Amino acid sequence: MKKKMRYTHVVGLASLQHQFVSQPVDKGPKIAFLFIARNRLPLEIVWDAFFRGGDSKFSIFVHSRPGFLFNEATTKSTYFLNRQVNDSIQVDWGEASMIEAERVLLRHALSDPLNDRFVFLSDSCIPLYNFSYTYDYIMSTSTSFVDSFADTKEGRYNPKMDPVIPVYNWRKGSQWAVLTRKHAKVVVEDETVFPMFQKYCKKKPLPEFWRDHPIPADTSKVHNCIPDEHYVQTLLAQKGLEAELTRRSLTHTAWDISNSRDHERRGWHPVTYKFSDATPMLIKFIKDIDNIYYETEYRREWCSSKGKPSTCFLFARKFTRTAALRLLNMSVLGDFS
């Protein structure tokens, strides 16, 4: 009898100990960092340094190619171990699969009731500030940060979307948004706008690929719709939620404005910063940006935090691995500890 009681006592202590180890003390609302990656995360070392100052106020989810696992062979950071979602899909740039990947990430992140903000990041993004500053900046407002503006450029909106998506609700912007829990649920629960995007929002093939498709009679009338540049913005406008947005992105991107003769190629992809580009001057330039001008709305968005003028961006892309590591080694990104 004594032996049985002793066994029960030991099991009880072990169970209690497991609860304390596996369930950290509730430290308030968390930020879910949602990474969209091809395979590995090439800048994981930079993010590892960033998350060390997180004090359990964050969670991580990674959407990589189907079947890819973040284990000790594929990541050097314990923060990313087993953080891949188990139902990832094959993602193709310029296709609706990109926004479906975002929805998959949100579904997983929403399963944790403590996740209160949801940050979309690419595998080439770097943080510009430490975790504490980033957390306070994002949590200091009740709004989502969504780069959103009226899209007046012909060829983006497909009239076949009407009347489900009227043209006056059509928006454009960066996919790198920060959503509140309320808006994350709106995206996940959407069964109206997403199907329309799957059917009618498709990228325009570049001229060199027209040999693989029927050549349109008038190429100027071919719709060039990149789903991830329109979906979240249009959905939130459709739901009448724009008053709950800070209509700018927290992720800096420099677009290619080269003098390429090929008009179709110009501006399609963001600039990639390489090792030689990664300098203190570049980071200072990005951090000093305090306003954004939206030509289609004649609107200048002055950036603020806690009611005071502030930097516009907390993250930046696209950086190669060598460029990001150079910045980290130079301590240009600040003290992450």
Side-chain angles (χ1 to χ4, degrees), residues 136-147:
D136 289 344
Y137 192 114
I138 291 174
M139 301 301 292
S140 67
T141 177
S142 60
T143 65
S144 291
F145 289 89
V146 180
D147 183 45

Side-chain angles (χ1 to χ4, degrees), residues 40 47 79-80 134 164 186 192 212 254 257 284 286 288 337:
R40 302 187 184 200
W47 286 102
Y79 293 113
F80 293 102
T134 302
V164 178
V186 169
T192 305
D212 301 324
I257 52 173
K284 183 179 186 303
I286 296 173
D288 284 348
S337 61

